[in-house]
Amino acid sequence: MGTIEDVSGFTEEEHELAAAVEALKAAEERVAAALRGYLARDPVTGRPVHGRIGRAAQITGWGEQRVKEVVTPELAERRRARRAGTEVAER
């Protein structure tokens, strides 16, 4: 079965895939915003609300590490930098 390519060289399936990826990225941004609200620190104590990271991981199906990194992007950057430094040192 042949596919039709447009001027950009994308097939219909590739356009559909690109649109789905854009929708997924937008949905992930909405989830991240909701997570930041759900995991906000208690205004009285300034501490995270107990048990919410685990519950958020259950709700999203992501896992605690990803939930933490979505809420605190600096954490993800530090971990990536540490891994990169470790990989360079091992070589």
Side-chain angles (χ1 to χ4, degrees):
M1 180 181 207
T3 58
I4 300 171
E5 290 189 20
D6 66 7
V7 180
S8 66
F10 283 172
T11 63
E12 287 180 47
E13 291 85 7
E14 289 170 331
H15 277 294
E16 186 177 338
L17 176 60
V21 168
E22 287 303 313
L24 179 61
K25 286 179 182 179
E28 283 185 342
E29 285 301 317
R30 290 192 309 274
V31 169
L35 278 173
R36 284 189 286 276
Y38 181 71
L39 297 173
R41 294 179 177 271
D42 182 292
V44 175
T45 65
R47 298 175 53 102
V49 178
H50 181 72
R52 289 243 172 139
I53 290 174
R55 183 66 180 136
Q58 288 176 338
I59 292 169
T60 61
W62 283 357
E64 291 186 13
Q65 193 59 48
R66 184 171 178 194
V67 167
K68 290 177 191 176
E69 290 178 355
V70 164
V71 174
T72 312
E74 303 83 35
L75 178 63
E77 292 300 320
R78 283 196 309 264
R79 288 176 194 264
R80 274 191 219 97
R82 193 175 316 137
R83 277 194 301 264
T86 303
E87 290 173 9
V88 170
E90 290 176 1
R91 290 183 186 170

